[in-house]
Each structure stands twice: as C-alpha cells, then as structure tokens.
Amino acid sequence: MNRSKAYVEENKQRFIEELVQILKIPSVSADPAFKDDVIKTAEAIKESLKNAGCTLTEICETPGYPVVYGERIIDESLPTILVYGHYDVQPADPIELWDNPPFEPVIKKTEIHPEGAIFARGACDDKGQMYMHVKALEYMVQNDDLPCNVKFMIEGEEEVGSENLGWFIERNQEKLKNDVILISDTGMIAKDVPSITTGLRGLSYVEVEVTGPNRDLHSGLYGGAVANPINVLSKMIASLTDENNHITIPGFYDKVEELSKEERAKMAEAPFNLEKYKEALDLNDVYGEKGYVTNERNSIRPTLDVNGIWGGYIGEGAKTVIPSKAFAKISMRLVPNQDWREITQLFKTHFENIAPSGVTVEVRPHHGGQGYVTPITGIEYQAANDAYKEVFGKDPIPQRSGGSIPIVSMFEKELGSKTILMGFGLDSDAIHSPNENFGVWNYLKGIETIPFFYKHFTKLKQEETK
Amino acid sequence: MNRSKAYVEENKQRFIEELVQILKIPSVSADPAFKDDVIKTAEAIKESLKNAGCTLTEICETPGYPVVYGERIIDESLPTILVYGHYDVQPADPIELWDNPPFEPVIKKTEIHPEGAIFARGACDDKGQMYMHVKALEYMVQNDDLPCNVKFMIEGEEEVGSENLGWFIERNQEKLKNDVILISDTGMIAKDVPSITTGLRGLSYVEVEVTGPNRDLHSGLYGGAVANPINVLSKMIASLTDENNHITIPGFYDKVEELSKEERAKMAEAPFNLEKYKEALDLNDVYGEKGYVTNERNSIRPTLDVNGIWGGYIGEGAKTVIPSKAFAKISMRLVPNQDWREITQLFKTHFENIAPSGVTVEVRPHHGGQGYVTPITGIEYQAANDAYKEVFGKDPIPQRSGGSIPIVSMFEKELGSKTILMGFGLDSDAIHSPNENFGVWNYLKGIETIPFFYKHFTKLKQEETK
C-alpha cells in the first residue's frame, strides 16, 4: 500500500468529520441573506489551511467576498503548484426536493457508494473536492513528502461568476506566481474509469425582461387586445433555436471550432452507455442538436438554456391575469473559439431586434467567461496522467466537459500558466441539484492521488529545466 | 332630483363606510389561508341584507363556500328579480405593487374620480358593485318604493370558478324561481357614456406541466444533451398561435360565430379612443389577431393567454440549472358557439400531441364556463335601457364584454331566465390588478339607478302578461 493511502486509512474518520463541519455552513454566495455564513466559511478554510501546514495564511479582502490564501514555500528553486478552489456553494432550492436538509450533512450508503456518500449542498461542488487538497497537503507535510512549493487560492464567488477574482489576481501577480494551477471541480467517468477533463465550455449568462402593459390586466377585458408578455417571451425564446435545435442568433456559430472526424471518432471511444444515461434521468429520449451525439452535444457544441422563467400568477389556484412583465434567466455554453463578450452582445442585439411592437424588452448581461482546452502534450497533463496511473493502475481518459470554469482561461492570460483539472466527482453527485452528494470513496481517493501529482510534476518540471 | 338620488345624498357617508368595512375582510377564495375571512364576509353580507330589508336571510352551506341568500317577497303575483353577486375577491398579489395595502381601504381623489375612489381589492369586483344592490334595496324598502319581489344569491367562489353554484341551484330551483337575474360585475364605457354589457366570453382554464429529467441538472454538464422543460414549454406555447395571432389548435374555431359586416360596423360606432387606450397602458402598440380591431379582439374573438409561467431558478442572481419541470397556467376566452368543455378537450389532446420525445406533459383542466349573449329585443334589456335613460339622460350603448361570468349561461339553462348585466365599473378600476378601485360617484350612481330597473321591469312585465 502506498504511503498516502495508509495515511488516509488511519485518518479517514477525522477527514470526513472536518469536511462535514464545513458543509454545515450555508455559504450561498448568490443570496445576500447568507453573507455572514460565507465569511464564516472563509475563516474556517483559513484555519484548516494553517492546520494542514501552510506557513502563511490570509483572508484577502476584495470588493466582494474574500479570497483565502495559503502557502508553504520550501525552496524558491523548486516548482510551485497553485491550488484553486471555491468555498461558496450553489443555492439549495428547491428545498422541498431534498431528502435531508441541504446544510445538515448525512452519510448514506447508496448503490453507487456502498462505502457511503456525504449528502449536502457543496459536498462535491466544491467543498469536498477542494478539501481533498487541504488533506493532501496535511499528508505531505506530516510525512515529509512535499516535493515542491504549494500555494492555495480559494475564492468565495465562483457560483456567481467570480466577479472579483480578476481584480485579486491583477493585484497579486507576484504572490500568485506558479508553474501550474491545480483544480478539482470536475468529474471522472466512473470509480474504475479515471478521466481528466481537458476542455471546459465558455459561458454567457443574461437576464431578460419583457414588458407589455404598465400594470397587470384582467385577461377577459384585455385578452386578445394587448400583447401578453408571457406569450411574447415564449415566442421569442422559441425562436432562438430552430427545429434542429440549432441556435438562430446571427453570427453565433461564426467562430465555433469544428472538430475533425478523427477527433470525434476518438471522443466516441470513451465508455458511455446511452440507455443507462437515459434511465438515470427517467428520460424516454435524449434531445439536442441534430447531427451530433450526446457526448458531443454536451461538450464540443454550444448551447442555449433557459435556467429560470417566471411571470404572472404562479400561486395556488387560478388567476385570470395578463401580467405586466415576464422574465427569464438564459445562459449559453460556448466552445472554442467563441468569445463570451461578443456572444453576449450578439444575443442582446438579436433579442432586442426580435421583440414585436406592443412590448419593450430589456437584456441585462449577468456574467460569463471563456472556455478552455488543456493541451495533453504538456508536462502538466503528463504528471496528472502518471498520478492516476499509479493509483488506479490505468491511464485516465482525456475528456471534454460541458461545464464552465471561466477563470481558467483568465489564469492563463494573467498568470501565464496552464491548469490541470483533476476531478474525482461523478455525474451521480447531482451538483447544482437537490440531494447533492460526494462518495466517501471518491473523497479519500482524491486525497490519496493528489500527492502523486506533486511528485510527478516536480520530477517532470526538473527534467524539463535541466 | 329623483327620490333615490336624494336618499343616496343623505346617506352616502354611511353607504361608503359600510362598504369599507366589508372591503377590509380579505375574502380570497383562491387561497385556503383566508378561509375564515371568506366565511366572515358571508356573515357580514347576510347581516347587511337583513338590515336592508330582506325578510328572510340564510347562510346556505355547499360543499365549498356558502351561498348567502336573502329575499323580500311582497306579493306572489308580482314579478321577481334575482340579484346575483359574489363576496369573494381575487388574490391581491403582487402586493408590492399596491400603493396602499389591498385590504386597508383608502379613498383618494384621482383625475378620473375628483369625488374620490375607494382603493381596495374587491372595491369594484365585486363587493362595491354587489353592495350597490343591497343599498338600492334599503332605499326602496325605506321609501316604500319596492314594486316587485326581490331575491339575493351572493356566492363565495366566483373567482375560482363557482364550482358549487350549479350544485346549489340544482337543489334550490323552487327557492330561486325568478323572472330576471340582475348582475353588476361589468363596466360602462365612461361616466357620461352608460353602456350595458350584452355579451360575455366563455372560459377554459388549464394548468400544464412539462417534465424533462427526473431532477434538476447542471446546465453545463447536461446542457445541449437533454430536453430543457422550459425551452420545450416555450416552444409548445409559441406554437399555439401563428404569426397572425390565430390559434392553431385543430378544431378550435369550428363553432365560432362570425359576426356580420353590419354587426361589426355597429360595434365600431361605440366611442373608443385607441391613442388614449394605449397611453393608459403605456403601450407603443396594441397586439392581436390579424383582421380584427381592438374592440373585436377583446369581445367577439376567442383568445389564448398564459396567465402564469414558472420553472427553474427564479430567485436573486444566477443559477445554471436545467430544471426537472416547467409549468404554466393557460386560459382561453371563448365566444358563441364554442363549447368550453369541448375546447378544453381539444386543448388537452393537442398539447399532449405536440410534446416532443424527451419530455412528458400533463394537462390539468381547472375550470371554465360558457359565454353568453343577451338579446337586446327583450323586456329585460328594455327595462335596463329605460333605467339608465332616466338617470343619465341618454340610451346606454349595448356592448360585448371580453370578460366571463360562466354562471350566466348556466342560470338560463337551470332557472330558465335571462340575465341583465348592469355594470357601473370603469376600465380604470383595474380589477384583477394592483390598486383596484371604484369611484365613489359610480358606486352612488349605481345605487340611484338600480331602483329604476325594478320600476321599469315590473311595468314592462305586467304589460307583457296582460
């Protein structure tokens, strides 16, 4: 048994308990009502970094929620790994669909996790996966097995667009200098099929508001005579995709990089069971852009989803009203080489153009970010590949993700280094959904595997610079 | 000055104060939280009928909210007028858009109402208009000016579809026997342009639910790969009307009675200012079915309006979710000779048929009712015409309304008598909207005018039977 595995075995109860304590704090960055809890979580992370072996830890103020910084510099001539994560979590609603309260963690055995899974908002995204790195540091420090320098940058606004991270990075370029950025906020294919995320989609998130009459109206007296903002909003949203689920915004696809037949064939080799995928979601069919399969639609193709819609009377029973306003939150996932700011502008212009007379329309860009692709030829990817290989006994599969971590492309731009996404989550973790959970096995496996990345990256980096 | 006007002048402060007390009770039938208040309002109406001169008053239990019954029979050989109204009110939300709390009535002077208007939920629809009849009875009894028998049937479920009124009427046919039914729950064109509503639209109200995956999903990991119920619901709603705002449900228009060119020309003679109509609602344009003008679109043509829509994350900020479900409340206003149950079935069948694979759809019919047209050749209409003429000095204009009072066609079917709609409301009363109000002038004018209907109807009825 390797040394990190032994350490994990000895300390697993404590590792789980520490994570549970952090999961109890509802650090919901999207909702100002939880402000104090977000701050409290930052302080808890700072404490844990210190206890794990960071010689310097700081709560770094920003115009928004603080960044928690920690470091252990052992030798300036050694490489430096910068670990990024976030201590804020998604809102938990709809709360009534949780089997247990989202901020009262429970460990339950499931079919996928006979060793148990921790159920709580943030269990996987991102507290569980972030805390693996804290415990990996503890292992390396306690066992004199830290081969290089390490820095931690754990922010509190990822779920609301990391608005102030760029501000923080701009002002701390020297402090954050590194050779590679390490992030665990993605998943792997299965417990016995390790994979490394090599691509992330970009994101543009907007809010739209359609206004008809200046007040709610009686739908008998006015029905048929004035524009109903809900009917109009539905038509406008419907028009954004055609019958092939292709997005109709002019210019939208201009910069989309089409993959070659060979690349698509290689992607198709990754293990995937369409029947099980549909079964897990109780779907009679998948649904998406004509001409592409499921794993292309959710990774190498851009999308348009309405994340929320509301207007009119939505309470119990009936109300015969034409509302004054209807609203939607819409987001688009983007692929190389779409530019998220350009796409946001294309959306805004188009949406305003297609508004019929009889209503007025407002488009409010919310946040966004660029996509990213990790080159699998670099030493960063090689080190991660070797780490998984040592622990899992096989090479991980490189896989493009559908998700977005906008700051990754910003990191490369501002700090000049690549990012490696070593995720230990699973699809079934239900991140962003009710009953989010993280397998105890996955959590501990991450803690075990991460130190091997440090080992291999240091080795490869030193060979490179000889 | 006529006698009813003098009596109104003397007693107007008390008339207003009594109505204000009734308006304070939040009798919201749509929401079970207000159950006690609805019952309390029934008791208050019973009391007021007794005080006004009903020799018999009863709270009549039904499977739902009770019907308040009152009568004053002076001579079996005289005609009998049955007054219908409702003591329940629409929900008040969105509460934040009210200038004053909806159940704390205030009287404010406005441009349209320099004599003041009573602002409260139910001020016009229907407590104010219903209470005019109670005070009119008081006048007639106090001044020995009651020419015929009168019965009152005031229900508590009109805003939720009058579900148990048919049950009540079936079991009380003898009790409710009458020569004409009188209702004030509609409006007139302007304070100096009296009108009588001669047509009501039918109604079919349904709720729909679209289900995609069995849980909310991360819109990055799943975006593009599975059906998003909101996107799909939007497409389905959008498809229900074409580019001419013509409803596309197969068979929908089969039984619609087209008006002749002459009838449409006559309708067009009613005073109407399109610019002021748009200005009042801050609209840059009206919007509706091609080939028809505003006052046809809102009265003689059927419609389809989404009254409420919701799904996904609708709180503050952003959440990148594909929701499991999306919902809408949809209602259709119908015209002669559409059958509301048949239309409901046509809608359900069609909506289920157009659902794409990848989602499941549920349509839940909620409530509905037939439309109605009052023949202007009968003595009922004539009596109302003469009543307005005596008080306003001119003939009222017959006008078709866009609104629905489903029980009117049921009354004719079950009790064999016609209904006269003598309304004193105005468009600006904003019924079903925030800041609903009823002009003091209109309220008092109604009390003054109603006794003339009793006088003329009795006279015409007796001439008829000679």
Side-chain angles (χ1 to χ4, degrees):
Chain A
M1 185 187 283
N2 64 61
R3 278 209 298 172
S4 60
K5 184 167 183 144
Y7 191 79
V8 165
E9 260 310 299
E10 280 165 35
N11 294 280
K12 66 183 182 187
Q13 281 320 319
R14 175 170 59 86
F15 286 179
I16 293 167
E17 188 44 41
E18 285 176 18
L19 174 56
V20 161
Q21 288 310 313
I22 288 165
L23 289 171
K24 284 181 177 176
I25 320 173
S27 49
V28 179
S29 48
D31 190 343
F34 294 95
K35 187 174 184 214
D36 291 345
D37 295 304
V38 178
I39 303 293
K40 193 170 155 200
T41 311
E43 283 154 13
I45 298 306
K46 174 184 184 289
E47 245 348 83
S48 65
L49 284 172
K50 184 164 159 222
N51 294 339
C54 282
T55 49
L56 171 69
T57 58
E58 294 175 278
I59 302 279
C60 306
E61 297 300 330
T62 77
Y65 286 121
V67 175
V68 181
Y69 179 79
E71 70 177 35
R72 188 178 178 93
I73 309 298
I74 56 176
D75 186 335
E76 295 285 349
S77 66
L78 289 170
T80 300
I81 293 172
L82 172 60
V83 176
Y84 163 85
H86 63 92
Y87 62 85
D88 64 316
V89 299
Q90 275 278 318
D93 68 278
I95 307 236
E96 65 276 11
L97 294 184
W98 285 74
D99 297 334
N100 299 91
F103 298 105
E104 290 172 36
V106 291
I107 296 172
K108 296 197 280 195
K109 295 195 197 315
T110 71
E111 214 185 301
I112 297 175
H113 298 293
E115 322 85 3
I118 308 166
F119 281 77
R121 171 57 89 233
C124 175
D125 174 26
D126 183 43
K127 287 173 174 172
Q129 295 226 63
M130 177 264 292
Y131 206 67
M132 296 183 313
H133 290 268
V134 182
K135 295 298 99 184
L137 175 68
E138 178 195 307
Y139 156 75
M140 292 185 281
V141 169
Q142 290 301 314
N143 291 271
D144 202 27
D145 203 8
L146 179 66
C148 60
N149 307 311
V150 59
K151 297 176 179 176
F152 284 79
M153 175 173 70
I154 314 298
E155 65 147 329
E157 297 181 325
E158 193 271 352
E159 299 292 4
V160 289
S162 302
E163 203 180 312
N164 294 296
L165 193 59
W167 179 96
F168 175 76
I169 289 174
E170 263 173 59
R171 287 158 182 69
N172 290 282
Q173 299 223 347
E174 204 38 52
K175 184 192 196 113
L176 298 170
K177 210 151 168 283
N178 66 83
D179 295 290
V180 67
I181 300 169
L182 189 55
I183 304 180
S184 294
D185 204 6
T186 52
M188 44 189 208
I189 291 171
K191 285 160 91 173
D192 59 344
V193 187
S195 56
I196 297 176
T197 298
T198 53
L200 296 162
R201 293 201 279 197
L203 176 71
S204 168
Y205 198 109
V206 301
E207 297 208 22
V208 303
E209 182 177 318
V210 177
T211 304
N214 59 9
R215 60 178 170 90
D216 289 1
L217 298 177
H218 187 283
S219 74
L221 303 182
Y222 291 91
V226 303
N228 179 329
I230 305 177
N231 291 50
V232 170
L233 177 61
S234 299
K235 279 199 183 274
M236 292 173 73
I237 288 172
S239 77
L240 295 175
T241 52
D242 66 18
E243 66 279 9
N244 295 321
N245 283 310
H246 196 79
I247 293 160
T248 61
I249 298 167
F252 188 83
Y253 290 93
D254 285 1
K255 295 187 177 168
V256 167
E257 179 198 40
E258 290 276 353
L259 264 65
S260 66
K261 267 214 297 250
E262 290 75 24
E263 281 173 297
R264 290 176 70 180
K266 189 124 186 52
M267 278 183 62
E269 286 172 23
F272 175 69
N273 186 318
L274 184 61
E275 284 319 301
K276 291 205 158 145
Y277 184 89
K278 291 193 291 186
E279 257 177 60
L281 302 172
D282 276 317
L283 291 172
N284 51 44
D285 217 346
V286 286
Y287 182 100
E289 194 186 0
K290 190 171 174 180
Y292 297 89
V293 297
T294 292
N295 281 335
E296 295 174 326
R297 291 169 170 172
N298 66 12
S299 64
I300 61 167
R301 298 299 293 169
T303 71
L304 188 144
D305 275 298
V306 184
N307 303 116
I309 192 169
W310 71 104
Y313 180 67
I314 64 179
E316 198 60 44
K319 189 169 188 227
T320 47
V321 64
I322 292 171
S324 173
K325 292 176 182 282
F327 307 80
K329 297 181 194 274
I330 299 174
S331 60
M332 291 157 282
R333 298 288 171 163
L334 314 173
V335 297
N337 300 309
Q338 290 177 302
D339 180 281
W340 82 271
R341 285 184 216 272
E342 190 184 336
I343 293 294
T344 301
Q345 190 54 50
L346 287 176
F347 177 94
K348 185 175 191 308
T349 303
H350 178 68
F351 201 77
E352 286 165 355
N353 281 347
I354 62 175
S357 67
V359 299
T360 55
V361 152
E362 205 187 316
V363 177
R364 289 186 290 271
H366 199 268
H367 70 278
Q370 288 302 104
Y372 187 73
V373 174
T374 304
I376 67 178
T377 46
I379 59 167
E380 302 87 357
Y381 185 86
Q382 191 59 45
N385 185 85
D386 294 345
Y388 279 103
K389 191 161 186 182
E390 274 211 66
V391 174
F392 287 81
K394 51 170 123 167
D395 285 321
I397 294 175
Q399 200 178 46
R400 298 239 201 167
S401 165
S404 307
I405 307 178
I407 56 319
V408 168
S409 73
M410 190 245 294
F411 288 163
E412 175 149 30
K413 197 152 158 263
E414 298 285 332
L415 300 172
S417 42
K418 303 258 182 288
T419 294
I420 280 295
L421 301 158
M422 286 184 77
F424 292 84
L426 298 174
D427 272 358
S428 54
D429 292 349
I431 63 176
H432 290 215
S433 307
N435 303 315
E436 174 182 354
N437 63 94
F438 191 36
V440 167
W441 184 93
N442 299 59
Y443 174 52
L444 301 178
K445 212 64 179 172
I447 300 170
E448 181 192 340
T449 310
I450 286 162
F452 285 94
F453 176 81
Y454 282 67
K455 171 179 126 185
H456 286 282
F457 181 75
T458 303
K459 191 162 72 98
L460 288 168
K461 189 73 186 171
Q462 289 176 321
E463 282 172 10
E464 195 188 55
T465 44
K466 279 201 183 90
Chain B
M1 186 187 281
N2 64 61
R3 280 212 296 171
S4 60
K5 185 167 182 140
Y7 189 80
V8 166
E9 260 310 298
E10 281 166 36
N11 294 281
K12 66 183 184 187
Q13 282 318 320
R14 174 171 58 84
F15 285 1
I16 292 167
E17 187 45 40
E18 285 176 18
L19 175 56
V20 161
Q21 288 310 312
I22 288 166
L23 289 170
K24 284 181 176 176
I25 320 172
S27 49
V28 179
S29 48
D31 190 341
F34 293 95
K35 188 174 182 210
D36 292 344
D37 295 303
V38 179
I39 302 294
K40 194 170 154 200
T41 311
E43 284 156 9
I45 299 305
K46 174 184 184 288
E47 244 348 84
S48 66
L49 285 173
K50 184 165 159 222
N51 294 340
C54 282
T55 48
L56 172 68
T57 57
E58 292 176 279
I59 302 278
C60 305
E61 298 300 329
T62 77
Y65 286 122
V67 174
V68 181
Y69 179 79
E71 71 177 33
R72 187 178 178 96
I73 308 299
I74 56 177
D75 186 332
E76 295 286 350
S77 67
L78 289 170
T80 300
I81 292 171
L82 172 60
V83 176
Y84 163 86
H86 63 90
Y87 62 85
D88 63 315
V89 298
Q90 276 275 322
D93 66 280
I95 307 238
E96 64 276 10
L97 295 184
W98 285 74
D99 297 335
N100 299 91
F103 298 104
E104 289 171 38
V106 291
I107 296 172
K108 297 197 281 195
K109 292 192 197 318
T110 70
E111 216 185 298
I112 297 175
H113 298 294
E115 322 85 3
I118 308 167
F119 280 78
R121 169 58 89 236
C124 175
D125 174 25
D126 183 43
K127 287 173 176 172
Q129 296 225 65
M130 176 265 292
Y131 206 66
M132 295 184 312
H133 290 267
V134 182
K135 295 298 99 184
L137 175 68
E138 179 196 305
Y139 157 75
M140 291 185 282
V141 169
Q142 290 300 312
N143 292 271
D144 202 28
D145 204 9
L146 179 65
C148 59
N149 307 312
V150 59
K151 297 176 179 177
F152 285 79
M153 176 174 67
I154 314 296
E155 65 147 330
E157 297 181 326
E158 193 271 351
E159 301 290 6
V160 289
S162 303
E163 203 180 312
N164 295 295
L165 193 59
W167 178 97
F168 176 75
I169 289 174
E170 261 172 62
R171 286 158 183 69
N172 290 280
Q173 299 223 347
E174 207 36 55
K175 184 191 194 109
L176 299 169
K177 212 151 167 286
N178 66 83
D179 295 289
V180 68
I181 301 169
L182 188 56
I183 304 180
S184 293
D185 204 7
T186 51
M188 44 189 209
I189 290 170
K191 286 159 90 173
D192 59 344
V193 186
S195 56
I196 298 177
T197 298
T198 53
L200 295 164
R201 293 201 279 195
L203 176 71
S204 168
Y205 199 109
V206 302
E207 297 208 21
V208 303
E209 182 178 318
V210 177
T211 303
N214 58 8
R215 58 180 171 91
D216 289 1
L217 299 178
H218 188 283
S219 75
L221 303 182
Y222 291 91
V226 304
N228 179 329
I230 304 178
N231 292 50
V232 170
L233 176 60
S234 300
K235 278 198 183 275
M236 292 173 72
I237 288 173
S239 76
L240 295 175
T241 53
D242 66 17
E243 66 279 10
N244 295 320
N245 282 311
H246 195 79
I247 294 160
T248 60
I249 299 166
F252 188 83
Y253 290 93
D254 284 1
K255 296 190 178 164
V256 168
E257 180 198 41
E258 289 277 353
L259 264 65
S260 66
K261 268 213 298 248
E262 290 74 26
E263 281 175 295
R264 291 176 69 179
K266 187 122 186 55
M267 278 183 64
E269 287 172 24
F272 176 70
N273 187 317
L274 185 61
E275 283 318 301
K276 290 205 157 146
Y277 184 88
K278 292 193 291 184
E279 256 177 61
L281 302 172
D282 276 316
L283 291 170
N284 51 43
D285 217 346
V286 286
Y287 183 99
E289 193 185 3
K290 189 171 174 183
Y292 297 89
V293 297
T294 291
N295 281 335
E296 294 174 326
R297 291 169 170 172
N298 66 13
S299 65
I300 61 167
R301 297 300 294 167
T303 71
L304 187 145
D305 274 298
V306 184
N307 302 117
I309 191 169
W310 70 105
Y313 180 69
I314 65 178
E316 197 61 43
K319 188 169 190 227
T320 46
V321 64
I322 292 172
S324 173
K325 292 175 182 283
F327 306 81
K329 298 180 194 273
I330 300 174
S331 60
M332 291 156 283
R333 297 287 172 166
L334 313 174
V335 297
N337 300 312
Q338 291 176 302
D339 179 281
W340 82 270
R341 286 183 216 271
E342 190 183 337
I343 293 292
T344 302
Q345 191 53 51
L346 286 176
F347 177 94
K348 185 176 193 305
T349 304
H350 178 68
F351 202 77
E352 288 165 353
N353 281 347
I354 63 175
S357 66
V359 300
T360 54
V361 151
E362 202 186 319
V363 176
R364 290 186 291 271
H366 200 270
H367 70 279
Q370 287 303 104
Y372 188 73
V373 174
T374 304
I376 66 177
T377 45
I379 59 166
E380 303 87 356
Y381 185 88
Q382 191 60 44
N385 185 88
D386 294 345
Y388 279 103
K389 191 161 186 182
E390 276 212 62
V391 174
F392 287 81
K394 51 170 123 169
D395 286 322
I397 294 174
Q399 201 179 47
R400 298 242 202 165
S401 166
S404 307
I405 308 179
I407 56 331
V408 168
S409 74
M410 189 244 297
F411 289 162
E412 175 147 32
K413 197 152 158 267
E414 298 286 329
L415 299 171
S417 44
K418 303 259 184 285
T419 295
I420 280 295
L421 300 157
M422 288 185 74
F424 293 84
L426 299 173
D427 273 358
S428 56
D429 292 349
I431 62 176
H432 290 216
S433 305
N435 302 313
E436 174 182 356
N437 63 94
F438 191 35
V440 167
W441 184 93
N442 299 57
Y443 174 52
L444 302 178
K445 210 66 177 169
I447 301 169
E448 181 192 338
T449 309
I450 286 162
F452 285 95
F453 176 82
Y454 282 68
K455 172 178 125 184
H456 287 282
F457 181 75
T458 304
K459 190 162 73 92
L460 289 168
K461 188 72 186 170
Q462 289 176 319
E463 284 172 8
E464 196 190 54
T465 44
K466 277 198 186 93

